[in-house]
Amino acid sequence: MICIETQHFHLNRILLLAIGLWPYQISKFVRLQIILFSGILTSFVIFQLTALITTECTPEFIIKVFSTAMFFSIYVIKYNSFWVNAHNVKYLLEQLQDICNQLKDKNEIAIIEKYGNNAKYFTTISIVMCGAFIAILLPIWPHILDTDLHINESQPRQRVQIVTEYFVNQEKYFYLILLHKNAVICIGATTLTGTGTMLVGYIICACGMFKIASYRIEQAMTSQVLKNINLENQTMIYKEIIDAVDIHRKAIKFCEFLSSTFQGSFFLLIIIGVISLSLNIYGIFQNISLDNKEAFLLHLLFVSVILLYMFVANYAGQEITNHNNHVYSITYNSRWYNAPLQAQKLILFILLNGSRTYNLNIGGVIVASLECFATLTKASMSYFTVMYSMQQ
């Protein structure tokens, strides 16, 4: 018997437990933890924007503030979207477990285990990459968090990369402010990794469901079975096709429920991601000319994270489309015309569904695919070009 939670999502469970977003056993302490962490992330974005009140708002300064504030607002959206949709996250995990419990064929179990292991490997790689990003950030950490100002008072303040305004004496409350900034980085990085890998893990398992549908069609339409159409084989064909139609329908419903649950936050993330990507690309080119290595590395890190996140999300959506098309291809290319008439009628359910390309759709506007990734990247580059040309 497959246990989805312990075998394939245990790393996700650890990450989400650390930030209070695991949807099981939500105690009063966990609710307090959620409120605290959400407040920490939200307040950091606010304290960056308040710098616009106390500082002269030149175009360069506005872009500098928004390039970091928009990136950290992604943390806020991801955290709160999982908090609000905790019940649906739990429901999706239970649906996966129910589907695994219904599998009897050892080959079908092997398929879902293979895709579950892929989800686990993806989570492991994501954790390693997150650690690598933090390691890259460590050398420039004092400049980013303003700690260098307390080591060397001659360091100019404009070199500080993340500008904030707490409306307090920053010398007196230096360690509290430093704690706040470090907490934001730790909570935010865990949030992006934990929630992102959880969603991708769901999509990978959905791909496994489509693969099982293809396998069941192949088993029903084997040449050996079709050569000898007796009562026993007819019954087997009906059962296999009915099971294939059933798991194919469940896979589509699973994906639709996933996209509908997070479509609001996904849509908002796309808008903020494109804007943040444009601003940080501008920051890269601006700081190259200013020879500000710390700012250059910071903006490069932000651009890398956003591009990676966009690519993975759209690639996962593309895999859903490809796996659904594979079900249609397997069905269409099989010898379905040699099957009994009643079986042919059942096959029409898959052929009719497969004739229309299925995509992960967000609000009826955006389709998750590699083409969408290219479009979003081009849009970000276009906005960057406009900003850069205006500043010349």
Side-chain angles (χ1 to χ4, degrees):
M1 181 179 175
I2 300 173
C3 180
I4 286 291
E5 180 183 333
T6 57
Q7 289 181 238
H8 305 304
F9 285 91
H10 65 281
L11 290 176
N12 308 83
R13 179 176 178 271
I14 293 171
L15 290 171
L16 295 179
L17 275 174
I19 52 177
L21 292 180
W22 185 245
Y24 293 90
Q25 300 173 344
I26 302 179
S27 62
K28 291 182 179 179
F29 173 78
V30 172
R31 289 191 179 92
L32 181 62
Q33 181 186 11
I34 291 171
I35 294 170
L36 177 63
F37 284 6
S38 179
I40 289 172
L41 294 175
T42 306
S43 61
F44 189 63
V45 176
I46 293 172
F47 289 139
Q48 289 180 76
L49 296 177
T50 52
L52 298 172
I53 301 173
T54 59
T55 309
E56 182 183 355
C57 293
T58 62
E60 291 79 7
F61 183 76
I62 293 173
I63 290 173
K64 181 176 182 178
V65 170
F66 274 96
S67 64
T68 56
M70 295 290 277
F71 178 82
F72 285 102
S73 65
I74 295 174
Y75 290 171
V76 179
I77 296 169
K78 290 289 290 182
Y79 192 93
N80 288 309
S81 66
F82 251 67
W83 175 16
V84 171
N85 294 296
H87 178 74
N88 291 337
V89 173
K90 179 180 177 182
Y91 174 77
L92 287 166
L93 199 59
E94 291 172 348
Q95 285 293 105
L96 280 178
Q97 187 61 61
D98 288 342
I99 291 167
C100 291
N101 292 341
Q102 294 170 14
L103 301 178
K104 304 300 181 183
D105 189 306
K106 64 179 182 180
N107 292 325
E108 294 178 2
I109 293 173
I111 289 171
I112 204 69
E113 283 187 338
K114 175 186 174 182
Y115 280 82
N117 287 331
N118 289 342
K120 182 172 66 176
Y121 297 148
F122 174 76
T123 303
T124 304
I125 293 170
S126 298
I127 293 172
V128 172
M129 290 186 66
C130 182
F133 279 130
I134 292 174
I136 293 171
L137 207 59
L138 284 176
I140 60 172
W141 204 235
H143 294 281
I144 294 172
L145 297 187
D146 200 11
T147 56
D148 60 311
L149 297 181
H150 298 266
I151 299 171
N152 182 6
E153 294 296 334
S154 64
Q155 180 76 16
R157 185 167 184 81
Q158 61 267 26
R159 301 287 285 187
V160 180
Q161 311 312 329
I162 300 180
V163 182
T164 54
E165 178 55 70
Y166 286 85
F167 298 107
V168 295
N169 187 329
Q170 297 203 23
E171 295 287 339
K172 182 178 180 181
Y173 296 100
F174 167 71
Y175 290 106
L176 287 177
I177 294 173
L178 182 63
L179 176 63
H180 181 230
K181 292 178 178 179
N182 279 291
V184 168
I185 296 297
C186 293
I187 297 169
T190 308
T191 298
L192 281 188
T193 307
T195 58
T197 54
M198 192 73 181
L199 293 175
V200 173
Y202 282 152
I203 293 175
I204 292 174
C205 289
C207 290
M209 293 159 65
F210 284 114
K211 187 68 175 179
I212 291 172
S214 300
Y215 168 77
R216 288 175 176 176
I217 291 294
E218 288 178 326
Q219 289 299 106
M221 296 290 107
T222 56
S223 57
Q224 292 179 350
V225 172
L226 295 176
K227 282 180 181 177
N228 184 20
I229 302 295
N230 53 35
L231 183 60
E232 182 182 351
N233 282 347
Q234 281 189 9
T235 304
M236 189 273 291
I237 291 172
Y238 295 153
K239 183 179 182 302
E240 289 289 345
I241 294 176
I242 289 171
D243 289 344
V245 171
D246 180 59
I247 198 166
H248 183 258
R249 179 181 57 84
K250 286 179 178 178
I252 289 177
K253 287 183 67 177
F254 182 87
C255 294
E256 288 178 345
F257 185 81
L258 175 63
S259 60
S260 64
T261 297
F262 293 98
Q263 69 175 358
S265 57
F266 284 165
F267 193 77
L268 193 57
L269 280 171
I270 289 170
I271 295 173
I272 291 179
V274 169
I275 297 172
S276 181
L277 184 59
S278 304
L279 293 173
N280 281 287
I281 292 174
Y282 177 84
I284 289 174
F285 281 85
Q286 184 185 46
N287 287 285
I288 287 175
S289 60
L290 296 175
D291 195 28
N292 189 343
K293 296 179 181 179
E294 293 83 7
F296 167 77
L297 288 174
L298 180 65
H299 289 296
L300 181 62
L301 182 66
F302 287 171
V303 167
S304 301
V305 171
I306 295 169
L307 282 174
L308 182 62
Y309 221 77
M310 278 187 179
F311 175 77
V312 169
N314 284 285
Y315 183 80
Q318 184 69 55
E319 281 296 296
I320 288 290
T321 301
N322 293 344
H323 277 74
N324 180 68
N325 290 342
H326 184 257
V327 176
Y328 174 76
S329 177
I330 288 291
T331 307
Y332 186 79
N333 293 321
S334 66
R335 297 183 179 182
W336 56 269
Y337 44 83
N338 289 334
L341 183 60
Q342 294 299 323
Q344 292 183 30
K345 292 179 180 179
L346 292 174
I347 292 173
L348 283 175
F349 283 106
I350 293 179
L351 291 176
L352 288 172
N353 283 331
S355 62
R356 300 184 301 271
T357 301
Y358 178 74
N359 301 293
L360 275 182
N361 198 290
I362 302 171
V365 179
I366 298 171
V367 173
S369 63
L370 293 178
E371 183 180 354
C372 177
F373 171 72
T375 302
L376 295 177
T377 306
K378 287 179 182 177
S380 299
M381 291 302 297
S382 298
Y383 299 146
F384 152 71
T385 305
V386 171
M387 287 188 294
Y388 195 76
S389 61
M390 291 176 65
Q391 295 299 314
Q392 297 305 309

